[in-house]
Amino acid sequence: MRVRIPASSANLGPGFDCFGLAWQCWNEIEFIPGGDKLKINGCPERFQNRENLAFRGYLAVLEACGLKEEPLSIEFLKTEIPVSRGLGSSAALIVGGAAAANALHGLGLSRDELLRIATPIEGHPDNIAPALFGGLTVSAMEDGRALTAAFPLSSKLFFTTLIPDFELSTERSRSVLPASVPRADAIFNVSRAALLLKALGTGDGALLGLALQDRLHQPFRTKLIPGFNRVRGLAESLGAAGLCISGAGSTLLCVAMGPDFSREMASAMAADFPGWQVRPILPDVQGVQVF
Ligand code: HSE
């Protein structure tokens, strides 16, 4: 049983812990029941244990359905999603494990049910939902249960990821956030988040620039990303409609109105930011796939 799970960008500026968008950049994992004990191959040794997130996603589904754990081999076949860069690599593993358990044991759980089971492992649904469903999703927690809705995404938008050569753990990136925010900042974000859905749905570049603004997390996180202001300046000078931190960082996500932006940004960054990868990226609309 093979699963293919997309990368994703959470937050998208103002949609902190709620918005997510899946990408055509995948991890592929094989789950083979049998053997004498849990075996995990194809990933660094420190992840070859029961804490492995693919295994935890798998186990969570078995437990939710009252099934007993049996020996299993997990083989990482393809790992395109960079780790600890804000592109949803953890969520992809959890979703991969959950989808594999569902399929291997013929459980027939819906994606909504998998979302509810998988989200507590990650703590928030914003990467789990796009990894499961694909596309642009807005998720919420209600009485401890995750739910999500899909939103349209215009094909007029061109996305570019700027991936630095340093990791940024979600834990570190959340540690710099204030526990409460002024009401004016909350209002600022509510308005931008609602307008962002309109801008992403219609491909309205002028609205995007305004709607990608955020006051809940990005102002505190940019200091964890050396070079942020200069990179943003470059993106703006090349006509990007907007830029935000992808998830908790360290990757930055640019939105442009034409296909040339990625190439121009790559050459603009080459001299001063040689460690950064500048990659055009396409939205994924399928979510997790089981083969
Ligand atoms: N919404 C989360 C954050 C995504 O920004 O901390 C990272 O998992």
Side-chain angles (χ1 to χ4, degrees), residues 1-6 26-32 54 58 74-78 92-104 114 131 287-291:
M1 179 73 56
R2 283 183 185 197
V3 291
R4 190 185 78 167
I5 329 96
W26 295 279
N27 282 358
E28 213 171 290
I29 314 172
E30 190 166 36
F31 293 77
I32 307 157
Y58 184 93
I74 301 177
E75 193 81 40
F76 285 75
L77 302 176
K78 196 195 278 181
L93 301 189
I94 297 167
V95 164
N102 189 34
L104 267 176
L114 292 176
V288 64
Q289 298 292 308
V290 179
F291 304 101

Side-chain angles (χ1 to χ4, degrees), residues 14-31:
F16 180 56
D17 274 2
C18 306
F19 287 21
L21 178 51
W23 300 121
Q24 292 183 31
C25 163
W26 295 279
N27 282 358
E28 213 171 290
I29 314 172
E30 190 166 36
F31 293 77

Side-chain angles (χ1 to χ4, degrees), residues 10-11 16-17 122 124 126-127 170 174 217 221 247-248:
N11 303 332
F16 180 56
D17 274 2
E122 175 99 328
H124 29 86
D126 47 348
N127 287 107
T170 299
R174 288 179 93 81
H217 67 110
R221 288 174 158 174

Side-chain angles (χ1 to χ4, degrees), residues 274-287:
W276 291 52
Q277 294 176 53
V278 179
R279 288 192 207 162
I281 198 159
L282 295 168
D284 164 84
V285 293
Q286 294 186 302

